[in-house]
Amino acid sequence: MEIRDVIHGSINIHRDELPVIDSRYFQRLRQIKQLGFGEFSFPSATHNRYIHSLGAMETAQRAFQSIFGHALRHNLLPDDRMRGFRSALRFAALLHDVGHGPLSHTTETAMPAVKHLGLADSNSPRQATHEDYTLKIILDSSLTPLLKKAGAAFGFTPLHIACLIDSKLTPPDDFFKEKLDGETTNFRPILQQLISSELDVDRMDYLRRDSLAAGVSYGQFDYDWLLNNLTYHVYEGKCLLALQHRALYSFEDFLISRFHMFLMVYFHHRAVIYDEMLKCYFNSQDCDYTLPADIEKYAECNDFHLYSHLAQSKNEWARRITEKRPYRMLLELHSGIPPSKTAALEQEKLLKEVVAELEGKNIDRVIAQSTGELSKYFRKPGELASLSRREPQIFVRYDNLYSSPGFIPLEQCTDLFKKYGEKRSITRLYVAPEKYDECHKSSRQHPFKYLDADEK
């Protein structure tokens, strides 16, 4: 079976994957928008988690072939084991987002405590996340028997799939271990890196898809070149992700593309205020919307489910969302602009002054801070030495005609992590539109310019 996609063209679906794709859990993703409230900033960005998940699976297929095609052609690994690895990887990519709530990340505030899901850390006091729901759907739902049946021919179970999504889980056996060049090698790290890392298939799909749908160029990168130059490196008994050195600059462009997508698309001021208003509703005393811990009932929760609830609510925040009456941005401050400590202190002082002025006039406001970073794996230069203790490393392969290939840790091959080591935050202050004119007039007294949403 084939599915036509605007990004990848034809996506081939294997026979054992079709029942999973046709399940109510996966079909539910058709009714969950990839960018949540992003369509209020970019009207054409109405694509969903369903097609993104299929795109991630297709990217995983291509990445696997690029990495292990040589090993398969030269019989370096048993064919049946490689087919098992590939199938488990495809399912992990397909299902990595299956637990997302309505409007994607926005409704995680309405999720119950994780202990109510009955997962391994059921005694934890923390709130559940979409990743927890993903694990619940894979490991303990009516979808689980379908995954067991699909993996039986290759020797993997739903837990093996979950292990590629969540690094904290422990594999039940040695399925991911196989001899390579006579040495027992653990292949779980590289398969896990393809699902979640600095070079994962999730990012490779959503950046291209989101930028196309939003009508911007920030998320574009050399997809084919990056994929075709993926390879592997066996280090200390683990098979790890590696990149041919000739694609290093494409990787740097990939990193910056994602960074700019967050700053310019995902953190757009209009989408941010809708997220904040929904959080205000969830924190209201009269809010009666919660996401169920019962995984079968959760399968019925989608964007329509949430919007229908909001339309029936008399809560002021719910009314503003459904009637498209968002708060308006009065002030916007960017960290590092101007790039000095003095400027940062002046901005902090300004924000406090404006808040105090609004409080004096009894004017409600919403303050939102959006923080972006180039990498969550390489946060600061001082932390690079401890990388191997936190996440599996990525290497760069350097080929030389006069010596055997050399593998160098990725963070030693680029200075981007150092240059972009600091997080970039955008602080915005919003007020009710009916109070905007009053606030805007007084804002001219301050030394920093206020940014009106209509001016951007």
Side-chain angles (χ1 to χ4, degrees), residues 35 105 195-208 210-211 216-222 226 250-267 371-379 416-417 420 423-424:
L35 296 187
H105 294 279
I195 299 300
S196 180
S197 73
E198 208 65 86
L199 259 174
D200 63 46
V201 299
D202 177 30
R203 296 181 183 187
M204 289 190 195
D205 183 82
Y206 77 62
L207 285 179
R208 299 172 72 214
D210 295 351
S211 62
V216 301
S217 60
Y218 308 110
Q220 297 300 322
F221 60 94
D222 201 341
L226 202 56
S250 296
F251 168 73
E252 292 184 340
D253 183 50
F254 172 67
L255 275 186
I256 295 176
S257 294
R258 178 178 177 271
F259 187 53
H260 288 167
M261 276 291 284
F262 271 90
L263 295 176
M264 299 302 295
V265 176
Y266 306 140
F267 294 162
T371 302
E373 56 184 332
L374 184 76
S375 169
K376 68 178 181 179
Y377 296 99
F378 307 95
R379 285 188 169 85
L416 269 189
F417 302 116
Y420 289 82
K423 296 179 181 180
R424 176 61 59 86

Side-chain angles (χ1 to χ4, degrees), residues 369-390:
Q369 185 175 69
S370 305
T371 302
E373 56 184 332
L374 184 76
S375 169
K376 68 178 181 179
Y377 296 99
F378 307 95
R379 285 188 169 85
K380 293 180 181 179
E383 296 179 358
L384 295 181
S386 62
L387 173 67
S388 61
R389 293 193 295 272
R390 303 196 321 271

